[in-house]
Amino acid sequence: MAEQKNHRITTEVTQVEASHKIASEQLADAVDVEANDTKGQHEPLYSTFPKSQKITILIIGTLAGLISPLTGSIYLPAMNSIATELGVEISLINMTITTYQVFQGLAPSFIASLADSRGRRPAYLLAFIVYVVANLGLALQNSYTALLILRCLQSIGSSATIALGSAVVADIVTRAERGVWIGYAGLGTSLGPALGPIIGGFLDEYFGWHSIFWFLLVLGGILLVIIFAFMPETGRTVVGNASVKPLRWNLSLLQWLRLRNGRHFNATENIEEDRSTIGRPKRRVYPISALRILLELEGGITLGFGAIFYAGYFMVMTTLSEQLSSRFGFSPAKIGFCYLPLGFGSLCSRWTAGRLFDWNFRRYARLLGVPLDLSRQQQLEVFPIERIRLEVCIPMIYISCGTVLAYAWAMQLHASLARIEVALFFLGLFFTGAQQGLNMLIVDTHADTPATATAANNLFRGLLSSGGAAVAPILIGKIGIGLTGILISGMWIAFSPCLWAVLVYGKKWRDDMENERKESLTPTTPTTPTTPLLVVNQRNFGTCM
């Protein structure tokens, strides 16, 4: 009898504790829901920069982003002249492009980590100081060894500007309008391949190839002064939504003058400091963070395909100069002008593709019944950002395959220059639009570290494109440019199902990874016996017993 009584008491206690546990979990869930509702109602402004100041920041970021692609493409028409004057084979000059691309991929991982930890301004200033010093050395040297080493240093200085430009846009603009703004910020990336060969060919033909580096030295110096004087700090780990004043050493010259005259450090008034908007900074600069993104299922697939996609495009760009020279016998200046349709098509995509991405975002907002407030960030828990970006991006990838084939076979079959240039225009148009979508997806899914995410993108693109630049001339010599075009487009098509997997399963993968992260952060504490609560808030749950 005593044992039966003890068993009954134990059973009742267990049932009470289970009821208490369920009630506690329901209460916690209700509190979380109410807290989330309150948070949604009182979500702070995403950025307190006025629109005029955002436009100024965008213009400076666009000009800074011009440096990297301009530096790479301005060099292409002068390759034959440099090889002749230095007395080396053209294959060794191609090696300077390969090493340039390798450092173009590696360097942003270090500078972007600094930018996400300490702010955008220090990273910009450091990059441009290195860039100016490298160009001064290149303008004065006359040996192949110095050319090879200083081109690597030049790459280190210029490469971070693209990652920083995307990060600055992510700092000041919400996801709903990021397509157009990143499109505008990428104008420098589009203008570089368009203007670089023209400027490089003209300077090489009339002033010698050393003048190319003098030109880049002056341009880099001017941009360094502009950033020092006018570029405010936008890093969210430093200034939050721009309502928090950065440290004195991180103020621009214009901000310092505003404070000295008793005004707000930004072009805003009556904005209260909101330190809750400051992102969690890293304890130290950790460049290996870019590699961690590759280990993510979604991030690794997106980065991997983006690298393969860019490598194929870079194979076309680097071999175009030699193809035009051998086929038509053009001078460096004329070769430079032949790059213009490629750059012009890339330029046009900044408006067309950017507006398509933002249109698709608004379309999904209507389907989900979510009102869009462009002054506040849209949460990824609600929006399937993978579908929003890739539904526009994937069709552009398949069209890009067709444009590569059109260019390669126009060159193989000795078609007219007009047909070659038309194919290059559409390649620039659709390739840039697709690449823009992949870049935005990486930034959107790594909102806390946008510079590091873009640097990871540049890292794998740079490494694969350097290999592509080295292999492309050999491949064309062995199988011809027509079959090379088939190989490039075939690789893109073969790996495209990976992006379809991201489109379908990406949100689930991202949610699973976030749940795993939360579980790893949850402390495990031993349970201690407590007096069970028999009644909880009746307004929500009623009684447990």
Side-chain angles (χ1 to χ4, degrees), residues 95-363:
M95 183 62 67
T96 65
I97 296 177
T98 301
T99 54
Y100 181 91
Q101 286 300 116
V102 169
F103 281 89
Q104 190 88 350
L106 293 174
S109 301
F110 293 84
I111 298 179
S113 184
L114 170 67
D116 283 333
S117 302
R118 303 291 182 261
R120 314 302 182 206
R121 272 180 57 82
Y124 264 125
L125 294 173
L126 175 62
F128 271 93
I129 289 171
V130 172
Y131 181 74
V132 167
V133 170
N135 280 306
L136 178 61
L138 284 165
L140 296 174
Q141 58 79 34
N142 282 293
S143 74
Y144 175 76
T145 303
L147 176 70
L148 183 66
I149 294 172
L150 289 171
R151 278 280 289 176
C152 295
L153 187 64
Q154 184 191 47
S155 177
I156 292 172
S158 67
S159 59
T161 56
I162 296 177
L164 293 175
S166 297
V168 165
V169 172
D171 289 337
I172 64 176
V173 177
T174 61
R175 294 185 181 96
E177 53 180 350
R178 197 169 283 171
V180 170
W181 280 78
I182 283 188
Y184 288 143
L187 287 177
T189 310
S190 302
L191 286 172
L195 298 178
I198 297 173
I199 297 171
F202 177 82
L203 291 174
D204 175 44
E205 188 165 341
Y206 294 102
F207 301 100
W209 60 270
H210 284 93
S211 63
I212 292 175
F213 300 115
W214 286 114
F215 171 81
L216 294 176
L217 171 65
V218 173
L219 179 61
I222 292 171
L223 289 173
L224 176 61
V225 172
I226 290 174
I227 290 171
F228 175 77
F230 301 108
M231 183 72 168
E233 179 56 65
T234 64
R236 300 187 72 84
T237 58
V238 179
V239 296
N241 63 354
S243 63
V244 180
K245 186 175 74 172
L247 297 175
R248 194 172 187 84
W249 62 267
N250 204 9
L251 293 168
S252 69
L253 179 60
L254 183 59
Q255 288 177 318
W256 184 81
L257 292 174
R258 282 200 183 106
L259 287 173
R260 189 174 182 183
N261 293 328
R263 300 169 59 193
H264 193 272
F265 63 95
N266 283 329
T268 53
E269 300 296 337
N270 302 321
I271 296 293
E272 295 184 2
E273 185 179 86
D274 187 355
R275 302 193 69 85
S276 68
T277 61
I278 294 180
R280 184 178 61 183
K282 296 179 181 179
R283 293 184 179 180
R284 62 183 182 275
V285 177
Y286 193 49
I288 206 69
S289 299
L291 294 175
R292 289 183 169 179
I293 299 177
L294 184 64
L295 301 179
E296 301 172 7
L297 188 55
E298 178 182 345
I301 291 175
T302 307
L303 288 176
F305 184 87
I308 294 170
F309 193 51
Y310 185 80
Y313 174 77
F314 197 72
M315 290 170 71
V316 173
M317 273 195 63
T318 53
T319 57
L320 179 59
S321 175
E322 187 177 351
Q323 290 294 314
L324 292 171
S325 178
S326 61
R327 166 82 191 280
F328 298 101
F330 285 163
S331 66
K334 288 182 179 179
I335 290 175
F337 276 103
C338 289
Y339 278 87
L340 195 58
L342 188 67
F344 187 64
S346 180
L347 189 65
C348 291
S349 76
R350 298 299 171 177
W351 285 281
T352 55
R355 293 184 184 281
L356 280 174
F357 286 117
D358 287 347
W359 168 81
N360 207 33
F361 201 108
R362 293 192 298 270
R363 184 175 74 90

Side-chain angles (χ1 to χ4, degrees), residues 519-542:
E519 289 176 4
S520 66
L521 294 176
T522 303
T524 56
T525 55
T527 57
T528 56
T530 56
T531 304
L533 293 176
L534 302 183
V535 181
V536 295
N537 191 332
Q538 238 178 1
R539 179 173 61 88
N540 292 321
F541 308 110

Side-chain angles (χ1 to χ4, degrees), residues 1 13 67 72 175 225 231 388 424 443 481 524:
M1 292 293 293
V13 169
I67 285 294
R175 294 185 181 96
V225 172
M231 183 72 168
I388 293 172
L424 288 173
V443 171
I481 191 168
T524 56

